[in-house]
Amino acid sequence: MTTTVTSSASRSTAVTGAAQASRDGVVVLAHGGGGELMSRLIGDHVLKQLGNPLLDALTDGAILECPSARIVLTTDSFVVQPLEFPGGDIGRIAVCGTVNDLAVMGGKPLGLSLGLILEEGFPLSRLDRILASVRSAANEAGVHVVTGDTKVIERGTGAGMFINTAGVAALDERIRVGFDRIREGDVLLVNGTLGDHGMAVMSVRNGLEFQTPIVSDAAPLAGMIFALADAGVDVRFMRDATRGGLAGVLADVVERSGLTAMIEESCLPVRPEVRAAAEMLGFDVLSIANEGKALFIVPQEQADRALQVLRADRRGRDARRIGRMCGGSPAIVELRTASGGSRVVQRPYGEELPRIC
Amino acid sequence: MTTTVTSSASRSTAVTGAAQASRDGVVVLAHGGGGELMSRLIGDHVLKQLGNPLLDALTDGAILECPSARIVLTTDSFVVQPLEFPGGDIGRIAVCGTVNDLAVMGGKPLGLSLGLILEEGFPLSRLDRILASVRSAANEAGVHVVTGDTKVIERGTGAGMFINTAGVAALDERIRVGFDRIREGDVLLVNGTLGDHGMAVMSVRNGLEFQTPIVSDAAPLAGMIFALADAGVDVRFMRDATRGGLAGVLADVVERSGLTAMIEESCLPVRPEVRAAAEMLGFDVLSIANEGKALFIVPQEQADRALQVLRADRRGRDARRIGRMCGGSPAIVELRTASGGSRVVQRPYGEELPRIC
């Protein structure tokens, strides 16, 4: 008998929760309980925004056709504050970050997973807005969210939501990137201006305003990256320059290749407003996160062809040759400054930009 | 010049952070910054516990051999409180939950991703303990963590950490599960006692103590599930009974199959201490989360064989036949009570057990 009493008891409390949720239009704890309320949250919000045959099945996982003998798996969690900023939001960078991690490994995205951790009291209207942004970014990247998970935590973080995305991709065997393939004389390219994402977020956080507003560069790069493969460019190494910025990627490159990276400061594409914000806030533009920029290392004889291909894509319009790999130990990242001097670029320590993605 | 000044400035603050981190042995914000400190966190803690050739490469994703033409992708986030409880911790249920979601879809795990969201101030010793638990659960399941991501958030949640795991698996084409394959007369099996995980966590939260302590059933079920396929059992449908418990799974089954599920209360395996705790705390054992139990729906003529196979695995020692599918509309979950009566089991609403996984 206890059970019967219990279930009706728990039901009545739940009804209160449901009523409250629909009255206030906010997330309640019961939305994460795996019951009736969670079904409604999934149906009325997640599926409404992201619905597709695989996701709609609401099975424990998604079954995907795999055209290749090798696949790529990647994951990223996103804790950016604020959740929405000029040029994007947490949903957009979640999709772009995961698609880009797959693409720089040579992976053609097959499907994404979406893990939502929602804070009690989070407005459902805001959830819808962010899910719509997930959808549009996924459409841009030509991929679907095929499986997901939703949890709810008590009020207290003030964060509102955290997102984890994982992605699986079919490996394009034409693309063979690795630190061990980098050679002396290889050319370093970036597909556009540096620091836009990090400075867009930090400007909002610090209430900075500029005549030309700073906009995040969050974008999926898969199309541009596979265009390089289609053009027969043998990219030796590529990586998107997110947390830690270009300095972080270059630190890995020299550490793992044993070669020195020589960068020309005068060649680094940086928007004036981003440079101004960075100097105002005391950041080195090289260590600021990007969400739509990658470093490409290509053989010298293919550099021009690679630049052509990058610039043909709207994600690479401002692509630039920024330097080259050369010998000389110890292997360092050396920046030739505009003033003719030079300095060693250190690996960022990590204090620079908390909660940037 | 600004850049130079900046980088040395940010370096000094970072050094402070590093010093503090090593002095207190706790997570600091800079551990999530994508720089030097994060490299140390990954190297000294994550790789030390979970290291393997794929993860050690620290690339943007892991490249996996894929022996099948179809793959399964799944994800789960974990926000359980407390992080550690009798029989497991957040790391163990993260691995088991993801492996089990893959297995009930017919997927043989190829690799797992691990997304860590750590709270500033979280003790590194506790992180090591939980990562060691991730490792041992992964070993049990015969799978590796092949890629990951780490973020750090400011103090405030008190949660300490959240984990997201995603997994990719090779689909075993012998396994074809689906609500549409469920038939009248099919038999319902569970592989052991119900409610252990939920009541283990809730007992700790409520400071309940029993002569026989309640221990979570968190366990990877892949081995047992593929043993069913090896034995030629044609499982029509299976799902692990996590949030929402068996009642949640059965609610989906009747809703999607259009058939009624008839359950015998006297056949439900429930430990006395779990039943006592559930009654004390006012929960219906049917709606309590499990982390190592699944519902299996098999053709009547294969039920005995299936039970044999389940019982031959230590995860299925207490496997039981609990009821059968039958016609009759409306499609409901009907529980034949021990006292000879019967009641309709409702889909849980979700208020029952917050933060249980």
Side-chain angles (χ1 to χ4, degrees):
Chain A
M1 286 313 297
T2 320
T3 49
T4 321
V5 178
T6 308
S7 61
S8 51
S10 60
R11 190 173 320 147
S12 61
T13 51
V15 170
T16 323
Q20 187 199 329
S22 53
R23 192 175 60 250
D24 310 345
V26 299
V27 170
V28 297
L29 276 177
H31 277 129
E36 178 62 31
L37 279 186
M38 196 167 94
S39 305
R40 290 187 210 165
L41 181 73
I42 304 296
D44 300 348
H45 299 276
V46 179
L47 293 186
K48 205 166 191 175
Q49 297 294 340
L50 303 178
N52 62 70
L54 285 167
L55 191 62
D56 297 348
L58 294 181
T59 44
D60 287 311
I63 295 176
L64 304 165
E65 302 293 326
C66 181
S68 69
R70 295 199 293 168
I71 57 176
V72 188
L73 177 67
T74 191
T75 191
D76 270 307
S77 297
F78 295 85
V79 300
V80 63
Q81 284 297 322
L83 295 175
E84 298 168 288
F85 44 80
D89 59 24
I90 188 171
R92 180 170 178 81
I93 60 173
V95 170
C96 296
T98 298
V99 166
N100 294 344
D101 282 348
L102 292 171
V104 295
M105 293 291 294
K108 282 198 163 148
L110 295 170
L112 300 182
S113 68
L114 183 72
L116 300 172
I117 297 177
L118 304 175
E119 187 174 7
E120 186 184 11
F122 190 67
L124 291 169
S125 56
R126 198 168 188 199
L127 175 62
D128 288 335
R129 214 156 60 225
I130 289 167
L131 289 172
S133 166
V134 166
R135 184 189 59 224
S136 71
N139 289 346
E140 263 179 71
V143 65
H144 289 295
V145 172
V146 296
T147 188
D149 175 67
T150 303
K151 296 288 190 303
V152 179
I153 58 175
E154 295 86 349
R155 274 191 182 73
T157 75
M161 82 187 301
F162 304 119
I163 291 182
N164 174 284
T165 37
V168 66
L171 186 66
D172 183 334
E173 300 288 351
R174 298 173 304 175
I175 300 178
R176 298 169 302 115
V177 293
F179 293 112
D180 58 333
R181 297 197 62 233
I182 302 171
R183 298 280 176 274
E184 204 170 327
D186 285 354
V187 173
L188 306 179
L189 311 172
V190 293
N191 61 299
T193 55
L194 301 172
D196 300 5
H197 173 71
M199 280 304 102
V201 173
M202 293 308 284
S203 299
V204 175
R205 262 195 238 162
N206 292 273
L208 295 186
E209 296 206 354
F210 300 88
Q211 282 182 316
T212 322
I214 300 177
V215 176
S216 169
D217 61 342
L221 303 179
M224 186 179 69
I225 284 169
F226 290 102
L228 284 170
D230 296 340
V233 175
D234 178 27
V235 177
R236 298 265 173 84
F237 176 82
M238 56 184 152
R239 177 173 288 179
D240 50 331
T242 56
R243 276 182 300 176
L246 185 63
V249 178
L250 287 171
D252 287 340
V253 165
V254 300
E255 189 180 306
R256 304 284 297 277
S257 71
L259 298 171
T260 279
M262 187 78 67
I263 307 298
E264 300 292 336
E265 188 172 40
S266 60
C267 298
L268 296 175
V270 182
R271 294 184 195 284
E273 61 272 23
V274 169
R275 186 180 301 284
E279 296 191 350
M280 208 174 302
L281 298 171
F283 294 118
D284 181 344
V285 124
L286 284 173
S287 62
I288 298 173
N290 311 274
E291 288 294 339
K293 300 296 159 36
L295 171 73
F296 299 85
I297 304 183
V298 299
Q300 188 166 10
E301 62 278 13
Q302 297 193 337
D304 292 336
R305 179 88 188 97
L307 267 180
Q308 278 176 10
V309 176
L310 292 177
R311 287 175 176 159
D313 187 292
R314 67 194 173 103
R315 309 303 186 191
R317 254 195 323 259
D318 303 324
R320 288 274 194 88
R321 176 195 301 243
I322 62 167
R324 58 188 174 80
M325 301 301 300
C326 45
S329 60
I332 55 167
V333 179
E334 183 174 347
L335 181 77
R336 293 269 186 78
T337 61
S339 51
S342 88
R343 72 170 170 100
V344 173
V345 178
Q346 304 274 359
R347 178 191 295 278
Y349 277 78
E351 298 274 317
E352 284 83 357
L353 297 170
R355 307 290 297 271
I356 208 67
C357 62
Chain B
M1 285 313 296
T2 320
T3 48
T4 319
V5 177
T6 308
S7 62
S8 51
S10 60
R11 192 172 319 149
S12 61
T13 52
V15 170
T16 324
Q20 188 200 326
S22 52
R23 192 175 61 252
D24 310 343
V26 300
V27 170
V28 297
L29 277 177
H31 277 129
E36 178 63 31
L37 278 186
M38 196 168 95
S39 305
R40 289 187 211 164
L41 181 73
I42 303 297
D44 300 348
H45 299 275
V46 179
L47 294 185
K48 204 165 193 176
Q49 296 295 339
L50 303 178
N52 63 68
L54 285 167
L55 191 61
D56 297 348
L58 294 181
T59 45
D60 287 312
I63 295 176
L64 304 165
E65 303 293 327
C66 181
S68 70
R70 296 198 294 168
I71 57 176
V72 187
L73 176 67
T74 191
T75 191
D76 269 307
S77 296
F78 295 86
V79 300
V80 64
Q81 284 297 322
L83 295 175
E84 297 168 289
F85 44 80
D89 59 26
I90 189 172
R92 180 171 178 80
I93 61 174
V95 170
C96 296
T98 298
V99 166
N100 293 345
D101 282 348
L102 292 171
V104 296
M105 293 292 294
K108 282 198 164 148
L110 296 171
L112 300 181
S113 68
L114 182 72
L116 300 173
I117 298 178
L118 304 175
E119 187 175 7
E120 186 184 12
F122 190 66
L124 292 169
S125 57
R126 197 169 188 200
L127 174 63
D128 289 334
R129 215 157 59 227
I130 288 166
L131 289 172
S133 167
V134 165
R135 184 189 59 223
S136 70
N139 289 346
E140 262 180 72
V143 65
H144 289 295
V145 171
V146 295
T147 189
D149 175 66
T150 303
K151 296 289 191 303
V152 179
I153 58 175
E154 295 86 350
R155 272 189 186 72
T157 75
M161 83 187 300
F162 303 120
I163 292 182
N164 175 283
T165 38
V168 65
L171 186 66
D172 182 335
E173 299 288 352
R174 298 173 304 174
I175 300 176
R176 297 169 302 115
V177 294
F179 292 111
D180 58 331
R181 297 197 63 232
I182 301 171
R183 299 280 176 274
E184 203 170 328
D186 284 353
V187 172
L188 306 179
L189 311 172
V190 292
N191 61 300
T193 55
L194 301 172
D196 300 5
H197 173 71
M199 280 304 102
V201 173
M202 293 307 284
S203 299
V204 175
R205 264 197 238 161
N206 293 272
L208 293 186
E209 294 204 357
F210 300 88
Q211 281 182 315
T212 323
I214 301 177
V215 176
S216 168
D217 61 341
L221 303 180
M224 187 179 67
I225 284 169
F226 290 102
L228 284 170
D230 295 340
V233 175
D234 178 26
V235 177
R236 297 266 174 81
F237 176 82
M238 56 184 153
R239 177 173 288 178
D240 49 332
T242 55
R243 276 182 299 176
L246 185 63
V249 177
L250 287 170
D252 287 340
V253 165
V254 299
E255 188 180 307
R256 304 283 296 276
S257 72
L259 298 171
T260 280
M262 188 76 69
I263 308 299
E264 300 292 337
E265 189 171 40
S266 60
C267 298
L268 296 175
V270 182
R271 294 185 196 283
E273 61 271 22
V274 169
R275 186 180 301 284
E279 297 191 351
M280 207 173 302
L281 297 171
F283 294 119
D284 182 345
V285 114
L286 285 173
S287 62
I288 299 173
N290 311 275
E291 289 294 340
K293 300 298 160 32
L295 171 73
F296 299 85
I297 303 183
V298 300
Q300 189 166 9
E301 63 277 13
Q302 297 193 340
D304 292 336
R305 179 89 189 94
L307 268 179
Q308 278 175 10
V309 177
L310 293 177
R311 288 176 176 158
D313 187 293
R314 66 193 174 104
R315 309 303 186 194
R317 255 196 321 261
D318 304 323
R320 288 274 194 88
R321 176 194 301 244
I322 62 167
R324 59 191 172 77
M325 302 302 299
C326 45
S329 60
I332 54 167
V333 179
E334 184 175 344
L335 181 78
R336 293 269 185 79
T337 62
S339 52
S342 87
R343 72 169 171 98
V344 173
V345 178
Q346 304 273 2
R347 179 191 294 276
Y349 276 78
E351 299 275 314
E352 284 83 357
L353 297 169
R355 308 290 297 271
I356 209 68
C357 62

